[in-house]
Amino acid sequence: MTKDLHENVCEEHIYKSLYNKYAKELHDYLYYKYGEQSNPGDKAQDAFIKLWENCRKVLFSKARGFLYKVANNMVLNDIKHQKVVLRYQQEKPQQYTNENPEFLMEKEQYFKKYQEALAKLSEEQRVAFMLNKVEGKKHEEIAQQLGVTRKVVEYRIYSAFTFLKTELDNFKIK
């Protein structure tokens, strides 16, 4: 017990001796238990890195157990992750929607009505309305682009919106 207190795993020569003593043994253990797919060399290296990061907390006499426990847990975590990845690869995405055919048909008909109503607008109204509602431009930007005042743009958008509301049932736009 007194030897543990005096020998710090953080000392380079002690850490090096632990590495030389247990690195191959740990690699072989992981290889025999889990196979080559688990990357036993990488897991053994990672376990030694964890030992170095926690060297002040690990007693010299417990270093071997710490290395085996950490390496084993790393492999088990990888296996668990691979199971999750495999499960999601096997799931097929939905190829359908919850919308019924009647809704889809109504949606298509409404879109046609909308296109027809837009075609009935004057060119000035349609351009101002589309720049504002589709492209998201501000009134001032549209005014500069069209070479008119802001009030003219506001009037064109308002009159287009009013016309669309009368032409289409349930027409709302944000």
Side-chain angles (χ1 to χ4, degrees):
M1 185 70 177
T2 57
K3 188 176 182 183
D4 286 340
L5 296 175
H6 297 296
E7 290 190 18
N8 188 349
V9 178
C10 293
E11 293 178 26
E12 187 177 343
H13 71 280
I14 294 174
Y15 182 80
K16 196 180 282 188
S17 70
L18 285 171
Y19 182 82
N20 291 335
K21 187 173 183 180
Y22 297 123
K24 180 163 176 23
E25 182 183 317
L26 182 59
H27 170 273
D28 293 346
Y29 168 77
L30 294 172
Y31 180 79
Y32 295 139
K33 187 168 182 180
Y34 298 108
E36 186 62 37
Q37 298 87 355
S38 67
N39 297 324
D42 291 347
K43 296 300 184 253
Q45 291 292 326
D46 291 342
F48 276 97
I49 291 170
K50 282 282 191 196
L51 176 63
W52 184 255
E53 291 171 351
N54 295 297
C55 64
R56 299 224 186 278
K57 300 174 190 172
V58 179
L59 298 175
F60 179 78
S61 63
K62 305 286 183 183
R64 182 175 183 265
F66 177 84
L67 290 168
Y68 275 76
K69 187 71 165 177
V70 167
N72 195 48
N73 287 343
M74 286 179 180
V75 173
L76 292 175
N77 286 341
D78 274 358
I79 291 170
K80 189 176 179 181
H81 175 70
Q82 290 303 321
K83 285 181 181 179
V84 170
V85 168
L86 184 62
R87 183 175 55 225
Y88 282 106
Q89 284 177 344
Q90 290 174 344
E91 286 183 12
K92 293 182 180 177
Q94 289 183 340
Q95 297 295 331
Y96 59 89
T97 64
N98 292 333
E99 299 169 343
N100 61 14
E102 184 179 335
F103 174 78
L104 294 173
M105 189 173 72
E106 287 175 3
K107 182 178 168 184
E108 188 176 312
Q109 289 173 350
Y110 188 81
F111 184 70
K112 284 180 185 176
K113 279 184 177 178
Y114 177 68
Q115 293 294 332
E116 290 169 4
L118 281 176
K120 291 179 185 176
L121 291 172
S122 70
E123 185 178 348
E124 293 87 13
Q125 290 174 322
R126 185 174 46 257
V127 169
F129 181 79
M130 298 300 278
L131 285 172
N132 180 252
K133 299 301 179 188
V134 176
E135 294 185 20
K137 293 190 176 191
K138 305 276 186 226
H139 293 187
E140 193 62 42
E141 292 174 301
I142 298 168
Q144 288 175 357
Q145 185 175 348
L146 298 177
V148 295
T149 66
R150 183 174 177 213
K151 285 290 183 187
V152 170
V153 171
E154 289 175 359
Y155 176 74
R156 288 178 182 175
I157 293 170
Y158 175 76
S159 61
F161 188 68
T162 304
F163 177 77
L164 291 173
K165 278 175 62 174
T166 58
E167 286 287 313
L168 302 169
D169 300 332
N170 301 323
F171 182 74
K172 295 176 185 166
I173 210 163
K174 293 182 180 179

